[in-house]
Each structure stands twice: as structure tokens, then as C-alpha cells.
Amino acid sequence: MVVDNGSLDETRSYLESLPLGGRIFNKANLGCGVAWNQGALALQTEWTIIMNNDVLVSHGWIENMITPPNRMAENYLAGTY
């Protein structure tokens, strides 16, 4: 899922060319928090990972993020520092 917050360049065309799970194209920049919520609500999945477009991840990052909560409580929040 990707949410484009009213980009004025060729971002929309680029995103339409990618094999993504879904796309939301806002006509205006509604703010980061609104865009995150739009994406999370549209997916309605067990796990939701929210990140900006400038995030770099390492090999195995997703497994390292979700493995501990699978062994813990029902509600869990993980993040990077």
C-alpha cells in the first residue's frame, strides 16, 4: 500500500507502474499522519508497518520486528530509535 499526498511531479505515474498492494492518491497534501491512517485503514491487516519514503532497511528487518511480538501480548507496538 502506498499513499501519495498530492505530489505535483511524476510520482503518481511511477507508483502506478509498481506492483503494489494498493494505492491512494490524495489530491492535496493532507499531512503525514492522515496519509498513514489512510493506508492502515485501507489495509486492515494483522500487521501494519508505517514508514516514510526515505527509510533504509537491512536484511531480515521485518522478521526481527515482528518475531518478538508473536511471542508476547496481543497488542504490541514496535519502532526504531
Side-chain angles (χ1 to χ4, degrees):
M1 170 62 68
V2 65
V3 179
D4 178 70
N5 235 349
S7 294
L8 300 175
D9 57 11
E10 297 301 314
T11 301
R12 182 178 180 137
S13 297
Y14 171 70
L15 294 174
E16 288 174 335
S17 73
L18 299 176
L20 302 169
R23 296 167 193 82
I24 297 173
F25 296 106
N26 293 328
K27 293 181 181 180
N29 188 335
L30 302 178
C32 192
V34 171
W36 287 346
N37 286 330
Q38 284 178 307
L41 291 171
L43 285 175
Q44 294 293 305
T45 60
E46 181 180 1
W47 291 100
T48 302
I49 297 173
I50 298 171
M51 63 177 63
N52 288 329
N53 62 345
D54 60 351
V55 173
L56 299 175
V57 296
S58 60
H59 179 72
W61 72 274
I62 198 164
E63 292 83 4
N64 292 333
M65 178 142 329
I66 66 172
T67 298
N70 276 336
R71 293 186 228 138
M72 300 174 90
E74 184 176 319
N75 296 314
Y76 186 87
L77 176 65
T80 58
Y81 302 96

